[in-house]
Amino acid sequence: MSEEDKLLKEAKKLPWEDRLFHKNWKVRNEANIDLASLCDSISDPKDPRIREFGHLFKKTVSDSNAPVQEKALDALLAYLRAADADVGRYGKEVCEAVVAKCLTGRTKTVEKAQAVFMLWVELEAVDAFLDSMEKAIKNKVAKAVVPAIDVMFQALSEFGAKIVPPKRLLKMLPELFDHPDQNVRASSKGLTLELCRWIGKDHVKVILFEKMRDTMLEAELVNVTGTAKPSRKISEVFFSFLCSLVHACDVMPSCNAFVYLLKLSISVICREYVRLVHLDSILFFWFSIMCSSPKNNS
């Protein structure tokens, strides 16, 4: 066994923090790979290990070694997929670190950074995401600004205007219209057109068009038709789905044992969901009563 193999083997015995910030890049690389695998194996978002790892990502995604940084993003993606909205407390510091260190790297690194932002939105850390975007668009390197605008476009397109506030996006756009880089201006135009799909052409015209030099956008607005609909949901949207399930069970024959078991399962899900999103205790009581036993429809 070589000295390097011995080092890697011994390093696996170290605490996570020592491994992730080890002076040897190969140790850090393996640590991120192992952390990603561990997070992938977590099925309960309340697993205590979720809390244990959250504060580490601010530094791991800032790794100066490009391959290690990419593995750190993989670990962060696995972590966010395993977590729930409670990890929002880390959203601001991690998003800012990703903006500062990951948007000018290799193509795959940038794509993974954008996927990280989308997961933060899904976990309801929208403010942290948009705060970091406000900093990202001020970067003097155009290469870092374009992916920031593109991920805002993606977030609005997939989650919709109810989740991603158009007002925050509209405030950022004017300074981008005069950007010296044509790619930045092109991405800004795309985001503007997407805003038109969500809040209407007239609203966008009133706020933005007098600040724009690009008259070509007016012609492109002709092709903006229909009503935009989100394709991706945050966790709270699941609430309405549970309501639909409860209603469906109520109208089914209560003599069916399967319905009884289904309602009991929904009751457990509802109680846990209500606890996770901190809904009013009265609503919790309503769900408990409604789901505790099947109604007699006979």
Side-chain angles (χ1 to χ4, degrees), residues 22 54 65 79 95 127 142 188 208 223 226 249 270 273-274 286 292 297:
H22 198 278
N65 183 290
Y79 173 82
C95 284
D127 288 337
S188 301
L208 288 182
N223 298 321
C249 288
C270 289
Y273 183 77
V274 170
W286 176 76
S292 59
N297 295 325

Side-chain angles (χ1 to χ4, degrees), residues 172-229:
M172 293 186 230
L173 280 169
E175 66 181 276
L176 297 172
F177 295 148
D178 291 327
H179 199 281
D181 186 87
Q182 63 177 359
N183 293 323
V184 172
R185 296 196 302 272
S187 292
S188 301
K189 182 191 294 185
L191 179 55
T192 304
L193 291 171
E194 186 65 17
L195 279 165
C196 291
R197 292 181 61 238
W198 285 98
I199 63 175
K201 305 173 189 177
D202 293 336
H203 291 293
V204 175
K205 280 183 179 181
V206 170
I207 298 171
L208 288 182
F209 274 44
E210 62 182 28
K211 302 174 183 178
M212 296 181 65
R213 296 182 306 177
D214 193 344
T215 56
M216 291 298 294
L217 190 60
E218 190 79 47
E220 291 183 36
L221 278 176
V222 177
N223 298 321
V224 179
T225 58
T227 304
K229 294 181 180 180

Side-chain angles (χ1 to χ4, degrees), residues 18-245:
D18 292 343
R19 294 181 63 193
L20 290 166
F21 307 129
H22 198 278
K23 63 181 181 180
N24 185 293
W25 74 270
K26 290 186 178 180
V27 172
R28 300 197 306 274
N29 198 61
E30 282 206 358
N32 280 296
I33 293 172
D34 290 346
L35 181 55
S37 297
L38 177 60
C39 290
D40 281 335
S41 71
I42 295 176
S43 57
D44 181 6
K46 296 304 178 185
D47 190 303
R49 290 172 294 183
I50 295 291
R51 292 183 183 179
E52 178 186 344
F53 301 139
H55 70 285
L56 300 173
F57 292 104
K58 177 183 178 180
K59 290 181 66 176
T60 60
V61 299
S62 302
D63 201 294
S64 58
N65 183 290
V68 175
Q69 182 185 53
E70 196 167 315
K71 294 301 180 185
L73 288 170
D74 287 337
L76 176 55
L77 288 167
Y79 173 82
L80 294 175
R81 286 192 293 264
D84 61 15
D86 284 352
V87 302
R89 72 189 77 174
Y90 306 114
K92 181 178 176 60
E93 62 182 38
V94 176
C95 284
E96 288 181 354
V98 173
V99 163
K101 299 295 183 178
C102 302
L103 294 183
T104 56
R106 300 183 295 188
T107 301
K108 283 188 177 180
T109 300
V110 173
E111 289 173 353
K112 290 176 181 180
Q114 291 175 316
V116 163
F117 290 130
M118 293 295 286
L119 281 174
W120 278 117
V121 176
E122 188 173 303
L123 292 173
E124 304 170 52
V126 181
D127 288 337
F129 163 65
L130 292 175
D131 288 345
S132 68
M133 291 299 101
E134 288 177 350
K135 294 182 178 181
I137 63 171
K138 297 182 185 300
N139 197 308
K140 294 180 180 180
V141 181
K143 185 180 178 181
V145 179
V146 171
I149 301 171
D150 289 347
V151 78
M152 285 190 282
F153 173 96
Q154 186 181 358
L156 177 63
S157 176
E158 293 188 20
F159 290 102
K162 289 184 178 180
I163 304 303
V164 182
K167 285 185 179 180
R168 295 285 304 269
L169 303 179
L170 288 166
K171 286 181 180 179
M172 293 186 230
L173 280 169
E175 66 181 276
L176 297 172
F177 295 148
D178 291 327
H179 199 281
D181 186 87
Q182 63 177 359
N183 293 323
V184 172
R185 296 196 302 272
S187 292
S188 301
K189 182 191 294 185
L191 179 55
T192 304
L193 291 171
E194 186 65 17
L195 279 165
C196 291
R197 292 181 61 238
W198 285 98
I199 63 175
K201 305 173 189 177
D202 293 336
H203 291 293
V204 175
K205 280 183 179 181
V206 170
I207 298 171
L208 288 182
F209 274 44
E210 62 182 28
K211 302 174 183 178
M212 296 181 65
R213 296 182 306 177
D214 193 344
T215 56
M216 291 298 294
L217 190 60
E218 190 79 47
E220 291 183 36
L221 278 176
V222 177
N223 298 321
V224 179
T225 58
T227 304
K229 294 181 180 180
S231 60
R232 192 165 171 178
K233 300 177 181 179
I234 62 169
S235 58
E236 283 193 27
V237 179
F238 186 54
F239 179 78
S240 60
F241 173 66
L242 293 178
C243 293
S244 300
L245 279 179

